[in-house]
Amino acid sequence: MTDSAPLADTAGDPFDQLLGYHLRRASVRTMADLAEALAPYDLRPTEASVLFVIAGQPGITQSQIGRALAVKRANMVPIIAMLESRGVLDREPVDGRSQGLVLTPAGQALHERAIAAVRDHEERMFGALDPATRDILGAAMRAVWRDDG
Amino acid sequence: MTDSAPLADTAGDPFDQLLGYHLRRASVRTMADLAEALAPYDLRPTEASVLFVIAGQPGITQSQIGRALAVKRANMVPIIAMLESRGVLDREPVDGRSQGLVLTPAGQALHERAIAAVRDHEERMFGALDPATRDILGAAMRAVWRDDG
DNA sequence: TATTGTTATACTCTATAACTATA
DNA sequence: TATAGTTATAGAGTATAACAATA
């Protein structure tokens, strides 16, 4: 090491160079804000994401949603059950074991409100970043989580 | 909207423009890899981060660590208790209610191993990104989670 | 009055194992 | 054999409320 290296700085912040740490902190803060934004609709972030998928692909099954969102089959069960019990979605049997999922009118209305809440949330979290930075961020994040499956 | 807009694409991926979604997916994958990387040392990511802070600031109290890491006071208790019971750290009373925390020799050795594991992990997760992108990423993530406190 | 450490408790999300029924 | 839905269960991290002891 050189004798003029700013040792105190490195010792003072052990996480300075650790992208994973800042990624985690940013994600926790973002999720907390999203949870708060969706709370008025009694929606958890995961439930909202499921709503988004069904709205975009009516008739999709819960296993397919799970694969799209990286939510395990077993964990999809209570999410779908909750949304169904609230009258947000309907199950339409496609064969003996699968059910196509579609939003009810109430579900479509809820979806619209969730979309608006998420848009506001995104603006709060990332609105201060310039578009070029946002693009780099999006591409990099995709590269990180898509690197495998 | 223009008549040549690729509607199918937007409908096909409702999360395309949602930075928070990709941030979350990247964070989950990164945390899973980190957990796996630290598992051989029987260390949870949060425990490792506490180790890092104490190594960088010997004598720090658990409340101070909590503030630095955004871990609630109440949640610091079992973490510190676990690390102490493992012989990783010692408590040195500074006044009647606070205890300065320092790593034991075993704790320092564990810290070194954790550092190496985290470095390998960071390389696995972000090594494919070029340095300029990593810098932009780090700055943007910081801006997101530091925007308030 | 404010802070430290603590206990108790609950929620969200993730993970695995195993079962039934169907393809 | 493989897949869909399901049940049960566990773990990690986060959150709040409240308390005693100390500053």
Side-chain angles (χ1 to χ4, degrees), chain A residues 16 18-20 22-23 25 29 68 122 126 137 142 144-145 147-148, chain B residues 15-16 18-20 22-23 25 29 68 122 126 137 142 144-145 147-148:
Chain A
D16 187 54
L18 300 184
L19 268 186
H22 299 290
L23 177 57
R25 291 288 298 262
R29 184 172 203 278
E122 286 266 327
F126 311 110
L137 216 63
R142 261 178 252 253
V144 168
W145 73 255
D147 182 31
D148 255 0
Chain B
F15 306 105
D16 187 55
L18 300 183
L19 266 187
H22 299 290
L23 184 59
R25 289 289 299 263
R29 184 173 202 276
E122 286 267 327
F126 311 111
L137 221 63
R142 262 179 252 253
V144 169
W145 73 255
D147 181 33
D148 256 0

PDB file of all heavy atoms in Angstrom, chain A residues 16 18-20 22-23 25 29 68 122 126 137 142 144-145 147-148, chain B residues 15-16 18-20 22-23 25 29 68 122 126 137 142 144-145 147-148:
ATOM      1  N   ASP A  16     -18.484   0.538   0.905  1.00  0.00           N
ATOM      2  CA  ASP A  16     -18.349   1.513  -0.167  1.00  0.00           C
ATOM      3  C   ASP A  16     -18.290   0.857  -1.546  1.00  0.00           C
ATOM      4  O   ASP A  16     -18.955   1.304  -2.474  1.00  0.00           O
ATOM      5  CB  ASP A  16     -17.092   2.356   0.058  1.00  0.00           C
ATOM      6  CG  ASP A  16     -16.988   3.484  -0.935  1.00  0.00           C
ATOM      7  OD1 ASP A  16     -17.960   4.258  -1.029  1.00  0.00           O
ATOM      8  OD2 ASP A  16     -15.955   3.586  -1.621  1.00  0.00           O
ATOM      9  N   LEU A  18     -19.107  -2.285  -2.252  1.00  0.00           N
ATOM     10  CA  LEU A  18     -19.950  -3.473  -2.368  1.00  0.00           C
ATOM     11  C   LEU A  18     -21.298  -3.137  -2.996  1.00  0.00           C
ATOM     12  O   LEU A  18     -22.231  -2.696  -2.328  1.00  0.00           O
ATOM     13  CB  LEU A  18     -20.146  -4.122  -0.994  1.00  0.00           C
ATOM     14  CG  LEU A  18     -18.864  -4.596  -0.292  1.00  0.00           C
ATOM     15  CD1 LEU A  18     -19.194  -5.301   1.015  1.00  0.00           C
ATOM     16  CD2 LEU A  18     -18.042  -5.513  -1.200  1.00  0.00           C
ATOM     17  N   LEU A  19     -21.382  -3.369  -4.302  1.00  0.00           N
ATOM     18  CA  LEU A  19     -22.620  -3.066  -5.022  1.00  0.00           C
ATOM     19  C   LEU A  19     -23.808  -3.803  -4.426  1.00  0.00           C
ATOM     20  O   LEU A  19     -24.909  -3.260  -4.351  1.00  0.00           O
ATOM     21  CB  LEU A  19     -22.470  -3.458  -6.492  1.00  0.00           C
ATOM     22  CG  LEU A  19     -21.979  -2.380  -7.431  1.00  0.00           C
ATOM     23  CD1 LEU A  19     -22.037  -2.877  -8.855  1.00  0.00           C
ATOM     24  CD2 LEU A  19     -22.866  -1.141  -7.283  1.00  0.00           C
ATOM     25  N   GLY A  20     -23.593  -5.038  -4.007  1.00  0.00           N
ATOM     26  CA  GLY A  20     -24.690  -5.829  -3.461  1.00  0.00           C
ATOM     27  C   GLY A  20     -25.317  -5.164  -2.246  1.00  0.00           C
ATOM     28  O   GLY A  20     -26.532  -5.228  -2.057  1.00  0.00           O
ATOM     29  N   HIS A  22     -25.486  -1.885  -1.559  1.00  0.00           N
ATOM     30  CA  HIS A  22     -26.293  -0.722  -1.954  1.00  0.00           C
ATOM     31  C   HIS A  22     -27.544  -1.160  -2.713  1.00  0.00           C
ATOM     32  O   HIS A  22     -28.609  -0.545  -2.588  1.00  0.00           O
ATOM     33  CB  HIS A  22     -25.439   0.238  -2.770  1.00  0.00           C
ATOM     34  CG  HIS A  22     -24.271   0.755  -2.011  1.00  0.00           C
ATOM     35  ND1 HIS A  22     -24.400   1.633  -0.957  1.00  0.00           N
ATOM     36  CD2 HIS A  22     -22.949   0.488  -2.098  1.00  0.00           C
ATOM     37  CE1 HIS A  22     -23.217   1.896  -0.446  1.00  0.00           C
ATOM     38  NE2 HIS A  22     -22.317   1.215  -1.124  1.00  0.00           N
ATOM     39  N   LEU A  23     -27.392  -2.236  -3.469  1.00  0.00           N
ATOM     40  CA  LEU A  23     -28.548  -2.819  -4.157  1.00  0.00           C
ATOM     41  C   LEU A  23     -29.593  -3.249  -3.131  1.00  0.00           C
ATOM     42  O   LEU A  23     -30.790  -2.967  -3.282  1.00  0.00           O
ATOM     43  CB  LEU A  23     -28.076  -4.011  -4.987  1.00  0.00           C
ATOM     44  CG  LEU A  23     -29.120  -4.828  -5.739  1.00  0.00           C
ATOM     45  CD1 LEU A  23     -29.913  -3.944  -6.683  1.00  0.00           C
ATOM     46  CD2 LEU A  23     -28.447  -5.952  -6.518  1.00  0.00           C
ATOM     47  N   ARG A  25     -29.936  -2.239   0.079  1.00  0.00           N
ATOM     48  CA  ARG A  25     -30.521  -1.089   0.777  1.00  0.00           C
ATOM     49  C   ARG A  25     -31.562  -0.391  -0.102  1.00  0.00           C
ATOM     50  O   ARG A  25     -32.633  -0.017   0.360  1.00  0.00           O
ATOM     51  CB  ARG A  25     -29.431  -0.088   1.178  1.00  0.00           C
ATOM     52  CG  ARG A  25     -28.474  -0.555   2.273  1.00  0.00           C
ATOM     53  CD  ARG A  25     -29.130  -0.599   3.634  1.00  0.00           C
ATOM     54  NE  ARG A  25     -29.604   0.681   4.105  1.00  0.00           N
ATOM     55  CZ  ARG A  25     -28.965   1.490   4.942  1.00  0.00           C
ATOM     56  NH1 ARG A  25     -27.774   1.151   5.392  1.00  0.00           N
ATOM     57  NH2 ARG A  25     -29.494   2.622   5.342  1.00  0.00           N
ATOM     58  N   ARG A  29     -35.667  -0.168   0.710  1.00  0.00           N
ATOM     59  CA  ARG A  29     -36.351   1.122   0.788  1.00  0.00           C
ATOM     60  C   ARG A  29     -37.466   1.199  -0.262  1.00  0.00           C
ATOM     61  O   ARG A  29     -38.566   1.687   0.003  1.00  0.00           O
ATOM     62  CB  ARG A  29     -35.345   2.251   0.553  1.00  0.00           C
ATOM     63  CG  ARG A  29     -35.963   3.626   0.713  1.00  0.00           C
ATOM     64  CD  ARG A  29     -34.903   4.719   0.665  1.00  0.00           C
ATOM     65  NE  ARG A  29     -35.386   5.919   1.335  1.00  0.00           N
ATOM     66  CZ  ARG A  29     -36.183   6.833   0.744  1.00  0.00           C
ATOM     67  NH1 ARG A  29     -36.568   6.663  -0.491  1.00  0.00           N
ATOM     68  NH2 ARG A  29     -36.585   7.883   1.420  1.00  0.00           N
ATOM     69  N   ALA A  68     -43.000 -16.912 -14.183  1.00  0.00           N
ATOM     70  CA  ALA A  68     -42.718 -15.568 -14.704  1.00  0.00           C
ATOM     71  C   ALA A  68     -42.168 -14.657 -13.609  1.00  0.00           C
ATOM     72  O   ALA A  68     -41.299 -13.825 -13.869  1.00  0.00           O
ATOM     73  CB  ALA A  68     -43.988 -14.966 -15.302  1.00  0.00           C
ATOM     74  N   GLU A 122     -42.866   4.744  -8.523  1.00  0.00           N
ATOM     75  CA  GLU A 122     -41.662   4.749  -9.356  1.00  0.00           C
ATOM     76  C   GLU A 122     -41.104   6.165  -9.497  1.00  0.00           C
ATOM     77  O   GLU A 122     -39.889   6.381  -9.450  1.00  0.00           O
ATOM     78  CB  GLU A 122     -41.978   4.156 -10.740  1.00  0.00           C
ATOM     79  CG  GLU A 122     -42.161   2.652 -10.742  1.00  0.00           C
ATOM     80  CD  GLU A 122     -40.868   1.907 -11.086  1.00  0.00           C
ATOM     81  OE1 GLU A 122     -40.068   2.432 -11.876  1.00  0.00           O
ATOM     82  OE2 GLU A 122     -40.685   0.796 -10.552  1.00  0.00           O
ATOM     83  N   PHE A 126     -37.401   6.860  -8.318  1.00  0.00           N
ATOM     84  CA  PHE A 126     -36.399   6.971  -9.373  1.00  0.00           C
ATOM     85  C   PHE A 126     -36.536   8.233 -10.212  1.00  0.00           C
ATOM     86  O   PHE A 126     -35.777   8.435 -11.158  1.00  0.00           O
ATOM     87  CB  PHE A 126     -36.470   5.739 -10.283  1.00  0.00           C
ATOM     88  CG  PHE A 126     -36.491   4.432  -9.534  1.00  0.00           C
ATOM     89  CD1 PHE A 126     -37.635   3.636  -9.494  1.00  0.00           C
ATOM     90  CD2 PHE A 126     -35.369   4.008  -8.835  1.00  0.00           C
ATOM     91  CE1 PHE A 126     -37.655   2.435  -8.789  1.00  0.00           C
ATOM     92  CE2 PHE A 126     -35.371   2.809  -8.127  1.00  0.00           C
ATOM     93  CZ  PHE A 126     -36.519   2.026  -8.103  1.00  0.00           C
ATOM     94  N   LEU A 137     -29.456   1.481 -15.382  1.00  0.00           N
ATOM     95  CA  LEU A 137     -29.895   0.751 -14.196  1.00  0.00           C
ATOM     96  C   LEU A 137     -30.777  -0.433 -14.584  1.00  0.00           C
ATOM     97  O   LEU A 137     -30.560  -1.560 -14.121  1.00  0.00           O
ATOM     98  CB  LEU A 137     -30.699   1.706 -13.308  1.00  0.00           C
ATOM     99  CG  LEU A 137     -30.549   1.537 -11.822  1.00  0.00           C
ATOM    100  CD1 LEU A 137     -29.119   1.822 -11.423  1.00  0.00           C
ATOM    101  CD2 LEU A 137     -31.501   2.461 -11.080  1.00  0.00           C
ATOM    102  N   ARG A 142     -31.495  -6.176 -14.944  1.00  0.00           N
ATOM    103  CA  ARG A 142     -31.942  -7.319 -15.732  1.00  0.00           C
ATOM    104  C   ARG A 142     -30.814  -8.311 -15.930  1.00  0.00           C
ATOM    105  O   ARG A 142     -31.012  -9.521 -15.806  1.00  0.00           O
ATOM    106  CB  ARG A 142     -32.410  -6.852 -17.106  1.00  0.00           C
ATOM    107  CG  ARG A 142     -33.897  -6.696 -17.233  1.00  0.00           C
ATOM    108  CD  ARG A 142     -34.220  -6.190 -18.627  1.00  0.00           C
ATOM    109  NE  ARG A 142     -34.634  -4.803 -18.579  1.00  0.00           N
ATOM    110  CZ  ARG A 142     -35.893  -4.412 -18.758  1.00  0.00           C
ATOM    111  NH1 ARG A 142     -36.822  -5.304 -19.019  1.00  0.00           N
ATOM    112  NH2 ARG A 142     -36.221  -3.151 -18.677  1.00  0.00           N
ATOM    113  N   VAL A 144     -28.323  -8.822 -14.093  1.00  0.00           N
ATOM    114  CA  VAL A 144     -28.004  -9.504 -12.831  1.00  0.00           C
ATOM    115  C   VAL A 144     -29.002 -10.621 -12.551  1.00  0.00           C
ATOM    116  O   VAL A 144     -28.629 -11.748 -12.253  1.00  0.00           O
ATOM    117  CB  VAL A 144     -27.975  -8.501 -11.656  1.00  0.00           C
ATOM    118  CG1 VAL A 144     -27.930  -9.227 -10.323  1.00  0.00           C
ATOM    119  CG2 VAL A 144     -26.776  -7.568 -11.788  1.00  0.00           C
ATOM    120  N   TRP A 145     -30.292 -10.315 -12.656  1.00  0.00           N
ATOM    121  CA  TRP A 145     -31.243 -11.363 -12.253  1.00  0.00           C
ATOM    122  C   TRP A 145     -31.526 -12.357 -13.358  1.00  0.00           C
ATOM    123  O   TRP A 145     -31.940 -13.477 -13.093  1.00  0.00           O
ATOM    124  CB  TRP A 145     -32.520 -10.790 -11.657  1.00  0.00           C
ATOM    125  CG  TRP A 145     -33.532 -10.117 -12.550  1.00  0.00           C
ATOM    126  CD1 TRP A 145     -33.751  -8.779 -12.650  1.00  0.00           C
ATOM    127  CD2 TRP A 145     -34.514 -10.727 -13.396  1.00  0.00           C
ATOM    128  NE1 TRP A 145     -34.790  -8.518 -13.509  1.00  0.00           N
ATOM    129  CE2 TRP A 145     -35.275  -9.709 -13.981  1.00  0.00           C
ATOM    130  CE3 TRP A 145     -34.826 -12.061 -13.728  1.00  0.00           C
ATOM    131  CZ2 TRP A 145     -36.325  -9.952 -14.879  1.00  0.00           C
ATOM    132  CZ3 TRP A 145     -35.872 -12.305 -14.614  1.00  0.00           C
ATOM    133  CH2 TRP A 145     -36.607 -11.253 -15.183  1.00  0.00           C
ATOM    134  N   ASP A 147     -29.235 -13.564 -15.373  1.00  0.00           N
ATOM    135  CA  ASP A 147     -28.026 -14.350 -15.606  1.00  0.00           C
ATOM    136  C   ASP A 147     -28.200 -15.748 -15.032  1.00  0.00           C
ATOM    137  O   ASP A 147     -27.795 -16.037 -13.916  1.00  0.00           O
ATOM    138  CB  ASP A 147     -26.823 -13.658 -14.965  1.00  0.00           C
ATOM    139  CG  ASP A 147     -25.540 -14.434 -15.233  1.00  0.00           C
ATOM    140  OD1 ASP A 147     -25.454 -15.070 -16.295  1.00  0.00           O
ATOM    141  OD2 ASP A 147     -24.653 -14.408 -14.367  1.00  0.00           O
ATOM    142  N   ASP A 148     -28.877 -16.595 -15.764  1.00  0.00           N
ATOM    143  CA  ASP A 148     -29.183 -18.002 -15.482  1.00  0.00           C
ATOM    144  C   ASP A 148     -30.575 -18.297 -16.010  1.00  0.00           C
ATOM    145  O   ASP A 148     -30.742 -18.873 -17.046  1.00  0.00           O
ATOM    146  CB  ASP A 148     -29.164 -18.300 -13.971  1.00  0.00           C
ATOM    147  CG  ASP A 148     -27.905 -19.066 -13.599  1.00  0.00           C
ATOM    148  OD1 ASP A 148     -27.121 -19.330 -14.529  1.00  0.00           O
ATOM    149  OD2 ASP A 148     -27.744 -19.408 -12.442  1.00  0.00           O
TER     150      ASP A 148
ATOM    151  N   PHE B  15     -43.732  -5.262 -16.606  1.00  0.00           N
ATOM    152  CA  PHE B  15     -42.686  -4.786 -15.700  1.00  0.00           C
ATOM    153  C   PHE B  15     -41.518  -4.166 -16.435  1.00  0.00           C
ATOM    154  O   PHE B  15     -40.553  -3.728 -15.823  1.00  0.00           O
ATOM    155  CB  PHE B  15     -42.190  -5.941 -14.825  1.00  0.00           C
ATOM    156  CG  PHE B  15     -43.293  -6.640 -14.103  1.00  0.00           C
ATOM    157  CD1 PHE B  15     -43.724  -7.886 -14.520  1.00  0.00           C
ATOM    158  CD2 PHE B  15     -43.917  -6.052 -13.011  1.00  0.00           C
ATOM    159  CE1 PHE B  15     -44.756  -8.539 -13.855  1.00  0.00           C
ATOM    160  CE2 PHE B  15     -44.948  -6.699 -12.344  1.00  0.00           C
ATOM    161  CZ  PHE B  15     -45.362  -7.943 -12.769  1.00  0.00           C
ATOM    162  N   ASP B  16     -41.648  -4.112 -17.757  1.00  0.00           N
ATOM    163  CA  ASP B  16     -40.543  -3.643 -18.584  1.00  0.00           C
ATOM    164  C   ASP B  16     -40.002  -2.299 -18.115  1.00  0.00           C
ATOM    165  O   ASP B  16     -38.801  -2.095 -18.020  1.00  0.00           O
ATOM    166  CB  ASP B  16     -40.998  -3.546 -20.038  1.00  0.00           C
ATOM    167  CG  ASP B  16     -39.836  -3.219 -20.963  1.00  0.00           C
ATOM    168  OD1 ASP B  16     -38.844  -3.964 -20.917  1.00  0.00           O
ATOM    169  OD2 ASP B  16     -39.923  -2.208 -21.691  1.00  0.00           O
ATOM    170  N   LEU B  18     -40.642  -0.847 -15.191  1.00  0.00           N
ATOM    171  CA  LEU B  18     -40.660  -0.684 -13.738  1.00  0.00           C
ATOM    172  C   LEU B  18     -39.300  -1.026 -13.127  1.00  0.00           C
ATOM    173  O   LEU B  18     -38.983  -2.183 -12.866  1.00  0.00           O
ATOM    174  CB  LEU B  18     -41.758  -1.550 -13.116  1.00  0.00           C
ATOM    175  CG  LEU B  18     -43.180  -1.237 -13.593  1.00  0.00           C
ATOM    176  CD1 LEU B  18     -44.201  -2.097 -12.865  1.00  0.00           C
ATOM    177  CD2 LEU B  18     -43.500   0.252 -13.417  1.00  0.00           C
ATOM    178  N   LEU B  19     -38.513   0.017 -12.874  1.00  0.00           N
ATOM    179  CA  LEU B  19     -37.185  -0.167 -12.303  1.00  0.00           C
ATOM    180  C   LEU B  19     -37.245  -0.920 -10.981  1.00  0.00           C
ATOM    181  O   LEU B  19     -36.396  -1.755 -10.698  1.00  0.00           O
ATOM    182  CB  LEU B  19     -36.524   1.196 -12.083  1.00  0.00           C
ATOM    183  CG  LEU B  19     -35.636   1.702 -13.196  1.00  0.00           C
ATOM    184  CD1 LEU B  19     -34.919   2.966 -12.765  1.00  0.00           C
ATOM    185  CD2 LEU B  19     -34.611   0.629 -13.565  1.00  0.00           C
ATOM    186  N   GLY B  20     -38.257  -0.606 -10.179  1.00  0.00           N
ATOM    187  CA  GLY B  20     -38.370  -1.230  -8.869  1.00  0.00           C
ATOM    188  C   GLY B  20     -38.471  -2.744  -8.963  1.00  0.00           C
ATOM    189  O   GLY B  20     -37.937  -3.458  -8.119  1.00  0.00           O
ATOM    190  N   HIS B  22     -37.218  -4.740 -11.352  1.00  0.00           N
ATOM    191  CA  HIS B  22     -35.927  -5.328 -11.713  1.00  0.00           C
ATOM    192  C   HIS B  22     -34.918  -5.190 -10.578  1.00  0.00           C
ATOM    193  O   HIS B  22     -34.077  -6.059 -10.361  1.00  0.00           O
ATOM    194  CB  HIS B  22     -35.413  -4.691 -12.996  1.00  0.00           C
ATOM    195  CG  HIS B  22     -36.324  -4.904 -14.155  1.00  0.00           C
ATOM    196  ND1 HIS B  22     -36.486  -6.137 -14.748  1.00  0.00           N
ATOM    197  CD2 HIS B  22     -37.166  -4.071 -14.810  1.00  0.00           C
ATOM    198  CE1 HIS B  22     -37.375  -6.041 -15.723  1.00  0.00           C
ATOM    199  NE2 HIS B  22     -37.803  -4.796 -15.784  1.00  0.00           N
ATOM    200  N   LEU B  23     -35.029  -4.085  -9.868  1.00  0.00           N
ATOM    201  CA  LEU B  23     -34.208  -3.891  -8.679  1.00  0.00           C
ATOM    202  C   LEU B  23     -34.468  -5.002  -7.670  1.00  0.00           C
ATOM    203  O   LEU B  23     -33.546  -5.593  -7.106  1.00  0.00           O
ATOM    204  CB  LEU B  23     -34.555  -2.520  -8.082  1.00  0.00           C
ATOM    205  CG  LEU B  23     -33.777  -2.010  -6.887  1.00  0.00           C
ATOM    206  CD1 LEU B  23     -32.304  -1.922  -7.209  1.00  0.00           C
ATOM    207  CD2 LEU B  23     -34.298  -0.637  -6.471  1.00  0.00           C
ATOM    208  N   ARG B  25     -35.862  -8.042  -8.221  1.00  0.00           N
ATOM    209  CA  ARG B  25     -35.432  -9.354  -8.708  1.00  0.00           C
ATOM    210  C   ARG B  25     -33.922  -9.493  -8.564  1.00  0.00           C
ATOM    211  O   ARG B  25     -33.419 -10.542  -8.158  1.00  0.00           O
ATOM    212  CB  ARG B  25     -35.830  -9.528 -10.189  1.00  0.00           C
ATOM    213  CG  ARG B  25     -37.326  -9.699 -10.450  1.00  0.00           C
ATOM    214  CD  ARG B  25     -37.868 -11.035  -9.999  1.00  0.00           C
ATOM    215  NE  ARG B  25     -37.255 -12.167 -10.675  1.00  0.00           N
ATOM    216  CZ  ARG B  25     -37.778 -12.796 -11.724  1.00  0.00           C
ATOM    217  NH1 ARG B  25     -38.921 -12.391 -12.229  1.00  0.00           N
ATOM    218  NH2 ARG B  25     -37.179 -13.844 -12.245  1.00  0.00           N
ATOM    219  N   ARG B  29     -31.973 -12.261  -6.071  1.00  0.00           N
ATOM    220  CA  ARG B  29     -30.979 -13.195  -6.592  1.00  0.00           C
ATOM    221  C   ARG B  29     -29.631 -12.980  -5.922  1.00  0.00           C
ATOM    222  O   ARG B  29     -28.922 -13.923  -5.568  1.00  0.00           O
ATOM    223  CB  ARG B  29     -30.845 -13.000  -8.101  1.00  0.00           C
ATOM    224  CG  ARG B  29     -29.906 -13.990  -8.741  1.00  0.00           C
ATOM    225  CD  ARG B  29     -29.928 -13.885 -10.266  1.00  0.00           C
ATOM    226  NE  ARG B  29     -29.462 -15.131 -10.859  1.00  0.00           N
ATOM    227  CZ  ARG B  29     -28.186 -15.430 -11.043  1.00  0.00           C
ATOM    228  NH1 ARG B  29     -27.260 -14.578 -10.674  1.00  0.00           N
ATOM    229  NH2 ARG B  29     -27.834 -16.579 -11.574  1.00  0.00           N
ATOM    230  N   ALA B  68     -26.454   2.490  11.487  1.00  0.00           N
ATOM    231  CA  ALA B  68     -25.607   2.460  10.290  1.00  0.00           C
ATOM    232  C   ALA B  68     -26.165   1.516   9.227  1.00  0.00           C
ATOM    233  O   ALA B  68     -26.079   1.799   8.034  1.00  0.00           O
ATOM    234  CB  ALA B  68     -24.186   2.048  10.668  1.00  0.00           C
ATOM    235  N   GLU B 122     -19.364 -10.814  -5.081  1.00  0.00           N
ATOM    236  CA  GLU B 122     -19.524  -9.570  -5.865  1.00  0.00           C
ATOM    237  C   GLU B 122     -19.048  -9.786  -7.303  1.00  0.00           C
ATOM    238  O   GLU B 122     -19.673  -9.308  -8.248  1.00  0.00           O
ATOM    239  CB  GLU B 122     -18.726  -8.428  -5.216  1.00  0.00           C
ATOM    240  CG  GLU B 122     -19.364  -7.878  -3.945  1.00  0.00           C
ATOM    241  CD  GLU B 122     -20.273  -6.672  -4.222  1.00  0.00           C
ATOM    242  OE1 GLU B 122     -19.967  -5.905  -5.149  1.00  0.00           O
ATOM    243  OE2 GLU B 122     -21.284  -6.521  -3.521  1.00  0.00           O
ATOM    244  N   PHE B 126     -21.606  -9.153 -10.237  1.00  0.00           N
ATOM    245  CA  PHE B 126     -21.434  -7.893 -10.967  1.00  0.00           C
ATOM    246  C   PHE B 126     -20.179  -7.849 -11.823  1.00  0.00           C
ATOM    247  O   PHE B 126     -19.901  -6.837 -12.463  1.00  0.00           O
ATOM    248  CB  PHE B 126     -21.419  -6.723  -9.973  1.00  0.00           C
ATOM    249  CG  PHE B 126     -22.549  -6.755  -8.984  1.00  0.00           C
ATOM    250  CD1 PHE B 126     -22.322  -7.012  -7.639  1.00  0.00           C
ATOM    251  CD2 PHE B 126     -23.856  -6.554  -9.406  1.00  0.00           C
ATOM    252  CE1 PHE B 126     -23.370  -7.056  -6.725  1.00  0.00           C
ATOM    253  CE2 PHE B 126     -24.910  -6.594  -8.502  1.00  0.00           C
ATOM    254  CZ  PHE B 126     -24.673  -6.848  -7.159  1.00  0.00           C
ATOM    255  N   LEU B 137     -24.099   2.514 -11.304  1.00  0.00           N
ATOM    256  CA  LEU B 137     -24.998   1.695 -10.495  1.00  0.00           C
ATOM    257  C   LEU B 137     -24.865   2.026  -9.016  1.00  0.00           C
ATOM    258  O   LEU B 137     -25.861   2.241  -8.317  1.00  0.00           O
ATOM    259  CB  LEU B 137     -24.641   0.225 -10.717  1.00  0.00           C
ATOM    260  CG  LEU B 137     -25.785  -0.749 -10.843  1.00  0.00           C
ATOM    261  CD1 LEU B 137     -26.624  -0.413 -12.056  1.00  0.00           C
ATOM    262  CD2 LEU B 137     -25.274  -2.172 -10.911  1.00  0.00           C
ATOM    263  N   ARG B 142     -27.146   4.270  -4.176  1.00  0.00           N
ATOM    264  CA  ARG B 142     -26.962   5.122  -3.002  1.00  0.00           C
ATOM    265  C   ARG B 142     -27.995   6.246  -2.976  1.00  0.00           C
ATOM    266  O   ARG B 142     -28.591   6.543  -1.937  1.00  0.00           O
ATOM    267  CB  ARG B 142     -25.571   5.746  -3.020  1.00  0.00           C
ATOM    268  CG  ARG B 142     -24.547   5.052  -2.176  1.00  0.00           C
ATOM    269  CD  ARG B 142     -23.220   5.763  -2.313  1.00  0.00           C
ATOM    270  NE  ARG B 142     -22.304   4.942  -3.095  1.00  0.00           N
ATOM    271  CZ  ARG B 142     -21.275   4.303  -2.547  1.00  0.00           C
ATOM    272  NH1 ARG B 142     -21.039   4.430  -1.273  1.00  0.00           N
ATOM    273  NH2 ARG B 142     -20.494   3.547  -3.282  1.00  0.00           N
ATOM    274  N   VAL B 144     -30.854   6.297  -4.244  1.00  0.00           N
ATOM    275  CA  VAL B 144     -32.190   5.774  -3.946  1.00  0.00           C
ATOM    276  C   VAL B 144     -32.354   5.526  -2.452  1.00  0.00           C
ATOM    277  O   VAL B 144     -33.338   5.950  -1.851  1.00  0.00           O
ATOM    278  CB  VAL B 144     -32.462   4.474  -4.737  1.00  0.00           C
ATOM    279  CG1 VAL B 144     -33.714   3.787  -4.234  1.00  0.00           C
ATOM    280  CG2 VAL B 144     -32.577   4.773  -6.224  1.00  0.00           C
ATOM    281  N   TRP B 145     -31.416   4.857  -1.832  1.00  0.00           N
ATOM    282  CA  TRP B 145     -31.647   4.513  -0.415  1.00  0.00           C
ATOM    283  C   TRP B 145     -31.265   5.628   0.534  1.00  0.00           C
ATOM    284  O   TRP B 145     -31.779   5.687   1.648  1.00  0.00           O
ATOM    285  CB  TRP B 145     -30.986   3.188  -0.030  1.00  0.00           C
ATOM    286  CG  TRP B 145     -29.488   3.102   0.134  1.00  0.00           C
ATOM    287  CD1 TRP B 145     -28.625   2.532  -0.756  1.00  0.00           C
ATOM    288  CD2 TRP B 145     -28.694   3.499   1.267  1.00  0.00           C
ATOM    289  NE1 TRP B 145     -27.344   2.572  -0.262  1.00  0.00           N
ATOM    290  CE2 TRP B 145     -27.347   3.154   0.974  1.00  0.00           C
ATOM    291  CE3 TRP B 145     -28.972   4.118   2.479  1.00  0.00           C
ATOM    292  CZ2 TRP B 145     -26.294   3.417   1.853  1.00  0.00           C
ATOM    293  CZ3 TRP B 145     -27.930   4.387   3.355  1.00  0.00           C
ATOM    294  CH2 TRP B 145     -26.607   4.026   3.038  1.00  0.00           C
ATOM    295  N   ASP B 147     -31.870   8.803  -0.044  1.00  0.00           N
ATOM    296  CA  ASP B 147     -32.791   9.914  -0.218  1.00  0.00           C
ATOM    297  C   ASP B 147     -33.767   9.987   0.950  1.00  0.00           C
ATOM    298  O   ASP B 147     -34.885   9.503   0.887  1.00  0.00           O
ATOM    299  CB  ASP B 147     -33.552   9.756  -1.536  1.00  0.00           C
ATOM    300  CG  ASP B 147     -34.498  10.911  -1.775  1.00  0.00           C
ATOM    301  OD1 ASP B 147     -34.161  12.030  -1.355  1.00  0.00           O
ATOM    302  OD2 ASP B 147     -35.557  10.676  -2.368  1.00  0.00           O
ATOM    303  N   ASP B 148     -33.314  10.529   2.032  1.00  0.00           N
ATOM    304  CA  ASP B 148     -34.037  10.763   3.293  1.00  0.00           C
ATOM    305  C   ASP B 148     -33.051  10.585   4.428  1.00  0.00           C
ATOM    306  O   ASP B 148     -32.572  11.526   5.001  1.00  0.00           O
ATOM    307  CB  ASP B 148     -35.197   9.772   3.494  1.00  0.00           C
ATOM    308  CG  ASP B 148     -36.524  10.437   3.225  1.00  0.00           C
ATOM    309  OD1 ASP B 148     -36.491  11.642   2.891  1.00  0.00           O
ATOM    310  OD2 ASP B 148     -37.547   9.784   3.357  1.00  0.00           O
TER     311      ASP B 148
END
